[in-house]
Amino acid sequence: MFDTDTLFAGDALHSRVNLNENTRFNRGTGYSAGGDLIFTHQFRERKGRSFSAQVKYEFSDTKQKTTSWNDIRYYLQDEESLLYRFSDNDQWNNSIMGRLTWTEPLGDASRGNFLQFSYRMQYRFNDADKYTYNLEAPTDPESFQVADLDGVPSGTEPDATLSNRFRNRFMNQELRAGYKRVTKAYNLEAGMVLAPSMSKSTDLIMAERTIPAHWVWNVAPYFNMRYKFSKTRSLRINYRARTSQPSISQLQPVADVSDPLNIVIGNPDLKPTFTQTVGMHFNNYNSDLQQSITAMLRGSYSTNVVVSRTTTDSETGVRRTEYANANGNMSLTGMFMINQPFTDRKWRYSARMMASYNNMAGYINGDFNRSGNLRLAPNVGLTFSSDIFQMSVNPTYSFNLASNSLPQQRNQYTHTYGFTADASLYLPFGLNLSTDLAFDKSTGYSRGFNTSSWLWNAQLSYSVLKDKSLTFSVRAYDILGEKKNISRSVSANMITDSRYNDLTRYIMFGVSWKFNTVKKNVGTGPEEGLGDFPGPRPGETPPGPGPGHEPNRRGDRIPRNFGGRR
């Protein structure tokens, strides 16, 4: 594999800082296995009392040998460096998890009062061996044949500062005790969780890099409730907390120099991350009005988040990344959606509002930075449905604000707006014709990333057999050949605009067969009263891979909800 990377300075001339021409060859093997066992017992002599046990085991072993040659040029220093290395890596991972759960009724079980106790333990042990050898670089780069090197010359010793033999051990425990209440109107669970965790690491090459056992104790309540106002209206509220360990590479204090211009070294003093999450979800469906209302709110707060701290040498452009803990990462997401027909049931409207905010801690060139990312995405839609025809129109808009606490990092705004429209015609004898059209325009991205594009798809399908369960279809994607995929990711140390290549303008033939071995219940469920007609109900997907299930402009797969595409 060969690649070239060039780093440019931020001056007006965009001066070159360094150039790395890298050739490398990887070869290796890997395999994994796992299994789990679950046992559940209900006590006949004590109704409501139960016991369950679970054991889960996972194993993997990955071996990889890498030979690499780097030709690096430092333009500001007018220097050149040739690096020729061989590395031998072996990662051996084991994980075993056990869980015990006991439920005890308080008095008569029919009253719905219970005590719950559970204990969960996960133990992970990892052996990580990495040997890195510095070899004599060839005088003629053109003669470098990486595939010819299957090992290292006899007598060559590994570089102790770049090699390691770690024996890593992690243990997470969770002791839970709580109260459970079950009634016709609501289910309630509440209690406390004690979550101790331990990590340690031993280096068999350099004892000073050994990480002694480190314990962290977290205590938090938990709460989960579902209240049923009626068969079609309910409210769920939950709160939970969890502990997650840093990864092995984040803990090991050994420099990863596989990319000489981006050196990464772990921090053995990292603490586990503790995250608390609270959520609420409301849903209501009125079958008489054919009205659906959904509302959701979710938030999380994390302490001891593992963040990267990267510094860049202004002369060479070499980036050095270390890890640290930071507090205060939080996220908040809200959504409200309504879908309802007009007085004339053939017309239906939908409205949705989504909002999210994320606040993250990190470092930019060694300076602490706290970034915020606000996103607003309102959406409205109008759908017309008849026995043989359905059409939807949905204007779209989204707003994104990226902010930073460092004064030299300016706020950045992006706007994306457009519309989606689709139509389906259901002709006699199972012949269906459908098409969809979308327009997107974006502003505020980096130079060269703002886009304006149209996406047009069309499909013809034919259903046969008595129940129309067998469907043949042909679909043309991106007829105009203008599909573009642009995205932005925001973190505390960078804002990245990305453009992805995608398959454009192609035709797909398909065959689908729908069958159901369960007898259909007639006259029940939330769709009762919608009437019988050969086409799909308002907002439902037509037979076959219709326009409600094609990839959207970002590459997602989004089902048609509430009368149209997103």
Side-chain angles (χ1 to χ4, degrees), residues 339-390:
N339 176 30
Q340 178 176 313
F342 291 99
T343 304
D344 182 355
R345 295 293 179 98
K346 293 185 177 181
W347 289 93
R348 175 179 293 270
Y349 74 90
S350 63
R352 181 183 64 189
M353 178 63 188
M354 294 191 67
S356 64
Y357 178 75
N358 295 299
N359 190 282
M360 298 160 285
Y363 292 84
I364 297 180
N365 202 25
D367 296 326
F368 182 80
N369 179 58
R370 185 166 291 280
S371 68
N373 186 30
L374 172 67
R375 185 176 186 272
L376 303 175
N379 179 274
V380 295
L382 184 65
T383 300
F384 171 79
S385 298
S386 68
D387 290 350
I388 64 171
F389 181 71
Q390 177 173 297

Side-chain angles (χ1 to χ4, degrees), residues 174 176 193 195 219-222 239-243 274-277:
E174 182 180 280
R176 179 181 298 227
V193 176
V219 180
Y222 73 90
Y239 166 87
R240 64 185 180 91
R242 60 183 176 87
T243 300
F274 185 66
T275 302
Q276 303 175 79
T277 304

Side-chain angles (χ1 to χ4, degrees), residues 237-252:
I237 301 175
N238 61 76
Y239 166 87
R240 64 185 180 91
R242 60 183 176 87
T243 300
S244 57
Q245 294 279 358
S247 67
I248 297 170
S249 60
Q250 292 171 337
L251 286 170
Q252 292 176 347

Side-chain angles (χ1 to χ4, degrees), residues 143-351:
S143 66
F144 175 69
Q145 298 293 330
V146 68
D148 294 340
L149 183 62
D150 292 327
V152 295
S154 178
T156 305
E157 296 295 330
D159 187 331
T161 60
L162 302 179
S163 304
N164 62 77
R165 294 190 64 197
F166 276 105
R167 301 298 177 258
N168 306 291
R169 304 295 181 259
F170 306 95
M171 183 170 63
N172 294 327
Q173 300 178 82
E174 182 180 280
L175 181 62
R176 179 181 298 227
Y179 168 74
K180 181 178 181 179
R181 171 71 170 164
V182 180
T183 70
K184 293 183 178 180
Y186 67 91
N187 294 344
L188 171 67
E189 292 181 337
M192 295 294 296
V193 176
L194 173 64
S197 61
M198 182 276 297
S199 63
K200 67 176 181 179
S201 186
T202 303
D203 188 359
L204 303 182
I205 293 181
M206 298 179 67
E208 57 269 26
R209 296 189 302 210
T210 292
I211 306 170
H214 182 64
W215 284 88
V216 175
W217 297 73
N218 290 303
V219 180
Y222 73 90
F223 179 84
N224 188 12
M225 183 189 74
R226 181 183 182 188
Y227 191 90
K228 296 182 289 184
F229 300 94
S230 65
K231 291 183 178 180
T232 59
R233 183 171 57 175
S234 64
L235 173 67
R236 295 200 310 269
I237 301 175
N238 61 76
Y239 166 87
R240 64 185 180 91
R242 60 183 176 87
T243 300
S244 57
Q245 294 279 358
S247 67
I248 297 170
S249 60
Q250 292 171 337
L251 286 170
Q252 292 176 347
V254 180
D256 181 357
V257 294
S258 54
D259 182 351
L261 297 180
N262 294 277
I263 301 172
V264 181
I265 184 169
N267 178 5
D269 296 324
L270 291 177
K271 299 178 181 178
T273 300
F274 185 66
T275 302
Q276 303 175 79
T277 304
V278 61
M280 180 190 74
H281 186 275
F282 173 79
N283 185 72
N284 180 48
Y285 179 80
N286 188 317
S287 59
D288 295 331
L289 298 177
Q290 295 184 27
Q291 179 194 71
S292 175
I293 297 176
T294 301
M296 182 271 291
L297 183 65
R298 178 175 299 160
S300 67
Y301 183 83
S302 300
T303 57
N304 290 325
V305 180
V306 178
V307 299
S308 58
R309 181 163 51 193
T310 302
T311 57
T312 303
D313 189 307
S314 60
E315 292 295 322
T316 63
V318 175
R319 290 161 51 92
R320 180 183 175 89
T321 299
E322 299 176 311
Y323 297 99
N325 286 120
N327 293 324
N329 278 23
M330 59 87 66
S331 67
L332 185 65
T333 302
M335 183 271 291
F336 176 81
M337 181 165 51
I338 182 172
N339 176 30
Q340 178 176 313
F342 291 99
T343 304
D344 182 355
R345 295 293 179 98
K346 293 185 177 181
W347 289 93
R348 175 179 293 270
Y349 74 90
S350 63

Side-chain angles (χ1 to χ4, degrees), residues 411-440:
N411 296 342
Q412 297 194 29
Y413 307 85
T414 60
H415 303 266
T416 302
Y417 54 89
F419 73 90
T420 62
D422 58 74
S424 299
L425 180 63
Y426 309 99
L427 300 174
F429 312 110
L431 185 63
N432 299 330
L433 176 64
S434 59
T435 184
D436 58 271
L437 179 68
F439 172 73
D440 252 346

